[in-house]
Amino acid sequence: MPLARAAFLLPALLWVAASFSQVRIQGRVLDARTQEPLAFVHVVPEGQRDGTTTDIDGRFALNVDREPVILRFSYVGYVPTEISARSGAPLSVEMPRAMVELKPVEIRPGVNPAHRIIDRVYANRKLNDGLRNRAHRYTSYSKTIFTAAMDSAVLNNPEELAKLDTSDKEMVDWLDKQHLLLIESATKKSFIPPASEKEEVIAMRVSGLKDPTLLALAASTKTFSVYEPQIPLQEKTYLSPIGPSSTARYLFILQDTLYQGKDTVFIISYEPMPGRKFDALKGVLYVSTDGFALQNVIAEPVERTGNFNIKLQQQFEKVGGQAWFPVQLNTFLYLDMMQVNSFKVIGIGRTYLKNIEVDAPIPRKEVRGPELVMDRIATRRDEDFWNAVRTDSLEAKELRTYHTIDSISEAENVERMVKWFSYLATGRAGIGPVDILLDRVVNYNGYEGIRLGLGAATNDKISRHASLGGYFAYGFKDRDWKYGGDLTLRLKPGHGPTLRPYYAYDVEESGSVAFQGAPRTFSSESYRWIYVDRMDRVERFGGELAFRVNSALKMWLGTERTERQNLIGYQYAEPLSEEITYLTDRFLTGSVSMGLRFAFREQVASLPDRQVPLGTRWPILYLNATQAVDGLWDGEWEVWRVNAMVEKTFRLRMMGDLSLRVMGGMAEEGTPYPFLFNLRGTYSTKVPIGTANTFETMRPNEYLADRYVAIHARHSFGNLLFKGKKFRPVPVLLANAAWGALSSPERQQGYTFSELEGGFYEGGIQLDNLLRSGFVGFGAGFYYRLGPNAFPDPSDNMAVKLTMGFGR
């Protein structure tokens, strides 16, 4: 028995002895020029095969048998570095960037060893993508700093520093003591595949802001999965390096091999194949032979264009021996449009996932409701709470950032300015307890000409539960005043239903189509108002109740009394008998209405003062239905009308974006013009401007219908075909079609129009962004009218227009 016990204990004693004889060396690897930590650097002791990699903060730790020891550091794009290391104080290792680009590597078909590895990663993607395919919980801590991008080669060189002007020197000294901005947040998240999730912000802090809810969306830890075939970044969609046939589009190069115990990690760089034109990423993949899973990922767009760019890093671990899961995330934001003196602003965000439970039994009620939730208590956490959720204590520079920026913010009233800019994003400019409604200031349409006015509404400085608003305006073409007002009552501010009684004396497009909940962004579709010249004077009062049924469905219920009158010659002919016809240009109705917006699996953020839709991958449905009842609110007409619209943008691999919109409607047969449908034509030789989701070769007011269907298809190739440094036109193909019918056209008197028989068809091509001036891009479009409603003269079917878009 003693011999057996000795045989059992001997390996353990030897392991303990070996452990005491080993020396632990730790340190941090930095970019020699920027002093930024380098994630995933390969660290190997001389003469050994096994090594380690730096974590997402550039830190490493490993045990060696002796000291001093030569450590070798290698990293794609950097000069390999060797140092002699001893235990003791943590090392600081600086790696210079490679000054000479590597020569092109010729990879012959069937020879590239990286392809076999990437194919294995793709084959195992569903098993290894724990973030998307496995139920899980975790908590997180995130820290983001904004500072100026400075070259350490300049900062560490007295001669170069002396060349800076006085203001830049002062800025260098100031930023040496604190950052421009510091944001901290902590969350807890639950997820059930395929798409049920909820993340709660349990703490948030922003330097200079007492109320950080303005930036609450930045607390979300939702990130991309490189296993997905397409990766959305910066409002663009990029082809993933892990996808079907990615080896035919990306150039993969096996740069290095790292040994970790029984597993091997292949370090593979990727970039688009020469001559391939698509929205591509570049970076490095670390592939573990344990399941051929991704261990580390570095990704950034190949082309840094515009004023905002991004770079991401992800580190994965096998959690509990079950599944690979991200544990650390880095985000680098390059804000080229912002500068402090001569230095561009950069944001560096680090997120740490903790307490990860994979394949956890999560009840459905845990993920019901909004996807992102934040209560006001999250903004009031004390220092003890923060010390408990942080992965490490704040550095002196970060503590000074809070103190300095908080003081500056209070002295300069920065918080008020930030809130003012947030109001601007919603079309409001706050002045004390009143918001100016910017969309009421100046407008233009073909009926009123230039319309100048002013609108205002009380804000939450008076009451969070009620807002009183009003407006007035004057049209210089119709020479008439308009005015109105409303009272918005919020039962539960930001979350519950709202009740809005209102009154308006204004004008409204005849035969118009509008939907509650549709985004009111300024796009080329807004140009349609240039061609709207048939309007009715309208006086209305009513009330509307708006409420969200769930994350996907929002509804509006209303009732109103409306009096419409046409002042430009239209009359409705109502036959009273075979010999008597009643002509009128006045229509008094009392109606009830229902509207809805349905976005399947739309994600919603529930913040202390509002709910914010976060979008959906599915089509969005809008529906309006109105029923005028004879006698309701003294109404004199019994008519009904239903409108519907479905729209969706598809991100197509290697092909760009395809946007589809389908619209349709029905109205009671033989009803007056205001309750019918004017089919949105925008052809003009005086003001030829391309207008999205309209008929470019159809004359304004050309067709009228009481039932119709219209389809608008737009395919943008983005920069897939042209990738010049400055000349980057965007080719766009368009196709529009409509079908409709009209009963009793003889009842519509005073207006010229046609019935739509046989369908309307047109096609077109645009070259957008031929010229750019700041955020405005100019191009040209050519459109042609087809089918049974084409004109005999081909020149009448053609339209050539200017296109104008906004964005970077």
Side-chain angles (χ1 to χ4, degrees):
M1 180 65 68
L3 289 176
R5 182 179 301 171
F8 176 79
L9 292 176
L10 183 59
L13 292 173
L14 292 175
W15 182 86
V16 171
S19 298
F20 279 108
S21 67
Q22 285 191 326
V23 178
R24 188 167 182 81
I25 297 177
Q26 55 189 349
R28 198 175 197 185
V29 183
L30 307 173
D31 183 300
R33 182 169 63 85
T34 66
Q35 295 298 294
E36 287 301 319
L38 293 180
F40 318 140
V41 175
H42 187 183
V43 186
V44 180
E46 184 182 40
Q48 295 188 23
R49 190 184 76 160
D50 290 357
T52 188
T53 58
T54 59
D55 66 14
I56 211 158
D57 293 318
R59 294 187 173 92
F60 70 93
L62 75 165
N63 297 324
V64 296
D65 297 332
R66 64 186 186 281
E67 57 176 338
V69 64
I70 302 297
L71 296 182
R72 293 177 174 173
F73 300 83
S74 60
Y75 194 52
V76 177
Y78 285 76
V79 176
T81 302
E82 292 187 358
I83 65 167
S84 177
R86 289 181 175 273
S87 61
L91 302 173
S92 180
V93 182
E94 297 185 0
M95 295 188 69
R97 297 188 184 187
M99 300 300 294
V100 180
E101 294 288 339
L102 294 175
K103 294 181 180 180
V105 179
E106 181 182 356
I107 303 295
R108 297 179 181 178
V111 174
N112 189 346
H115 284 188
R116 294 193 297 271
I117 300 170
I118 296 299
D119 288 341
R120 292 285 297 275
V121 174
Y122 178 71
N124 292 355
R125 66 193 184 283
K126 292 183 179 180
L127 177 66
N128 293 323
D129 190 4
L131 194 66
R132 296 288 185 272
N133 298 323
R134 292 176 180 262
H136 59 259
R137 290 191 192 97
Y138 63 74
T139 60
S140 76
Y141 167 73
S142 299
K143 178 171 62 179
T144 302
I145 61 107
F146 288 86
T147 187
M150 297 184 178
D151 193 336
S152 63
V154 174
L155 302 181
N156 298 327
N157 189 328
E159 294 182 359
E160 294 296 327
L161 275 175
K163 296 178 182 179
L164 300 177
D165 60 31
T166 303
S167 62
D168 282 347
K169 289 178 183 177
E170 292 176 351
M171 182 55 64
V172 169
D173 292 338
W174 192 87
L175 288 173
D176 187 51
K177 299 180 179 66
Q178 62 268 307
H179 303 295
L180 294 172
L181 183 68
L182 173 61
I183 303 174
E184 290 183 283
S185 62
T187 72
K188 58 181 181 180
K189 183 170 183 177
S190 302
F191 175 85
I192 300 176
S196 299
E197 60 185 311
K198 175 175 279 189
E199 184 165 19
E200 180 184 353
V201 182
I202 58 177
M204 189 168 188
R205 188 178 181 185
V206 179
S207 61
L209 296 182
K210 295 179 182 178
D211 181 11
T213 58
L214 297 171
L215 302 176
L217 297 182
S220 172
T221 60
K222 191 166 187 175
T223 185
F224 74 93
S225 170
V226 75
Y227 290 106
E228 292 289 324
Q230 298 184 87
I231 298 176
L233 295 175
Q234 304 173 244
E235 299 183 351
K236 293 183 69 175
T237 302
Y238 296 86
L239 186 68
S240 172
I242 306 298
S245 304
S246 63
T247 53
R249 298 179 176 92
Y250 278 103
L251 172 62
F252 295 96
I253 299 177
L254 182 59
Q255 299 281 1
D256 206 346
T257 303
L258 170 65
Y259 300 96
Q260 294 179 339
K262 64 178 182 179
D263 299 319
T264 301
V265 177
F266 300 109
I267 303 175
I268 300 173
S269 66
Y270 64 94
E271 62 183 63
M273 285 275 194
R276 290 282 189 173
K277 294 181 179 180
F278 61 98
D279 290 327
L281 300 170
K282 65 178 180 180
V284 183
L285 304 173
Y286 291 63
V287 180
S288 171
T289 54
D290 183 359
F292 278 84
L294 293 172
Q295 184 170 300
N296 303 311
V297 174
I298 301 174
E300 64 180 310
V302 170
E303 298 177 340
R304 288 190 57 178
T305 59
N307 298 308
F308 174 81
N309 291 281
I310 190 170
K311 178 180 179 180
L312 299 109
Q313 299 172 339
Q314 298 178 333
Q315 182 174 350
F316 298 78
E317 289 182 1
K318 201 163 190 181
V319 177
Q322 294 177 294
W324 288 91
F325 203 86
V327 294
Q328 296 185 44
L329 313 169
N330 268 6
T331 304
F332 298 88
L333 305 173
Y334 303 97
L335 309 178
D336 295 343
M337 72 289 197
M338 298 178 62
Q339 288 193 191
V340 286
N341 292 356
S342 302
F343 307 109
K344 294 180 179 179
V345 174
I346 183 175
I348 303 170
R350 305 185 190 281
T351 297
Y352 307 87
L353 307 187
K354 304 175 293 182
N355 305 317
I356 301 170
E357 301 176 53
V358 179
D359 295 332
I362 299 175
R364 281 285 171 183
K365 65 180 181 180
E366 193 172 316
V367 294
R368 289 199 186 113
E371 281 67 23
L372 182 68
V373 177
M374 180 178 180
D375 293 326
R376 288 201 177 274
I377 193 173
T379 67
R380 301 167 183 162
R381 301 297 190 183
D382 58 22
E383 199 60 29
D384 289 339
F385 185 93
W386 279 108
N387 288 334
V389 299
R390 288 173 179 140
T391 56
D392 199 356
S393 58
L394 294 180
E395 300 174 355
K397 188 174 182 178
E398 294 165 340
L399 292 170
R400 199 176 296 113
T401 299
Y402 276 128
H403 176 75
T404 303
I405 303 301
D406 286 351
S407 300
I408 293 174
S409 175
E410 186 172 353
E412 300 295 333
N413 216 342
V414 171
E415 187 149 15
R416 175 190 285 182
M417 295 173 59
V418 171
K419 286 187 176 180
W420 196 80
F421 281 111
S422 73
Y423 287 144
L424 285 180
T426 61
R428 294 171 172 243
I431 302 177
V434 175
D435 292 342
I436 303 300
L437 307 179
L438 300 179
D439 61 347
R440 295 288 188 182
V441 175
V442 60
N443 285 281
Y444 181 88
N445 60 66
Y447 181 86
E448 297 177 279
I450 297 175
R451 171 178 168 141
L452 297 181
L454 184 65
T458 60
N459 56 36
D460 56 9
K461 291 185 178 180
I462 293 180
S463 173
R464 296 178 61 230
H465 294 274
S467 175
L468 180 64
Y471 74 92
F472 66 89
Y474 182 79
F476 284 85
K477 186 175 179 181
D478 67 337
R479 299 181 182 180
D480 199 4
W481 287 95
K482 295 90 180 175
Y483 47 86
D486 62 5
L487 175 65
T488 302
L489 302 173
R490 308 178 185 92
L491 304 182
K492 187 179 179 183
H495 301 86
T498 60
L499 178 63
R500 187 177 69 91
Y502 56 85
Y503 170 83
Y505 179 85
D506 212 320
V507 293
E508 183 176 87
E509 179 186 2
S510 293
S512 63
V513 174
F515 297 94
Q516 293 105 322
R520 300 180 63 181
T521 57
F522 185 77
S523 66
S524 66
E525 189 171 356
S526 305
Y527 308 152
R528 190 183 74 85
W529 289 102
I530 298 173
Y531 312 102
V532 175
D533 57 4
R534 290 183 180 178
M535 288 189 166
D536 303 314
R537 188 178 68 188
V538 174
E539 184 176 21
R540 59 161 48 100
F541 66 83
E544 181 181 74
L545 176 67
F547 56 95
R548 184 175 285 278
V549 179
N550 51 43
S551 295
L553 178 61
K554 186 171 183 179
M555 296 191 68
W556 293 261
L557 301 176
T559 181
E560 71 175 29
R561 179 187 190 275
T562 308
E563 184 174 7
R564 293 176 172 85
Q565 186 173 9
N566 188 280
L567 302 177
I568 55 175
Y570 168 77
Q571 290 184 312
Y572 176 71
E574 182 179 7
L576 301 180
S577 66
E578 293 183 2
E579 298 178 352
I580 301 175
T581 299
Y582 175 69
L583 299 177
T584 183
D585 58 10
R586 176 184 168 275
F587 311 97
L588 177 60
T589 57
S591 63
V592 293
S593 63
M594 182 276 289
L596 65 81
R597 177 184 181 275
F598 181 75
F600 183 62
R601 287 186 176 173
E602 180 171 54
Q603 297 184 330
V604 175
S606 179
L607 307 182
D609 59 345
R610 64 195 186 281
Q611 287 190 326
V612 181
L614 302 178
T616 177
R617 299 173 60 183
W618 298 85
I620 300 176
L621 167 67
Y622 301 88
L623 178 68
N624 282 349
T626 302
Q627 172 71 61
V629 180
D630 188 8
L632 178 65
W633 305 114
D634 297 324
E636 301 169 350
W637 293 82
E638 187 95 19
V639 296
W640 59 267
R641 192 173 191 253
V642 178
N643 311 305
M645 178 174 74
V646 178
E647 58 183 3
K648 163 69 177 169
T649 296
F650 300 88
R651 314 291 185 186
L652 304 179
R653 285 171 49 88
M654 303 293 295
M655 293 295 291
D657 297 342
L658 173 63
S659 299
L660 290 178
R661 175 185 287 187
V662 180
M663 301 175 65
M666 296 182 65
E668 186 165 329
E669 295 182 3
T671 196
Y673 194 111
F675 310 107
L676 301 177
F677 303 101
N678 185 343
L679 298 186
R680 300 160 60 95
T682 56
Y683 174 88
S684 173
T685 56
K686 296 180 179 179
V687 189
I689 299 179
T691 308
N693 297 314
T694 66
F695 294 96
E696 306 281 5
T697 61
M698 183 187 293
R699 277 56 177 168
N701 310 309
E702 184 176 355
Y703 291 106
L704 185 67
D706 56 24
R707 51 199 179 278
Y708 83 101
V709 174
I711 299 176
H712 301 282
R714 172 189 172 93
H715 186 95
S716 173
F717 290 92
N719 298 122
L720 296 175
L721 303 183
F722 301 95
K723 288 187 172 290
K725 292 183 178 180
K726 294 184 178 180
F727 181 66
R728 302 170 62 87
V730 176
V732 179
L733 297 179
L734 299 101
N736 302 310
W739 302 265
L742 178 64
S743 299
S744 306
E746 70 281 356
R747 296 187 182 187
Q748 319 301 330
Q749 303 291 320
Y751 276 166
T752 59
F753 59 85
S754 299
E755 298 177 59
L756 184 57
E757 297 179 354
F760 183 94
Y761 308 95
E762 67 177 16
I765 183 170
Q766 292 178 187
L767 277 179
D768 295 339
N769 278 350
L770 290 173
L771 295 174
R772 288 201 66 83
S773 177
F775 285 91
V776 183
F778 299 93
F782 174 82
Y783 316 92
Y784 196 82
R785 185 165 173 159
L786 306 164
N789 285 289
F791 295 112
D793 188 343
S795 63
D796 292 334
N797 296 317
M798 293 187 294
V800 179
K801 298 186 177 184
L802 171 73
T803 66
M804 184 168 60
F806 298 85
R808 60 183 192 86

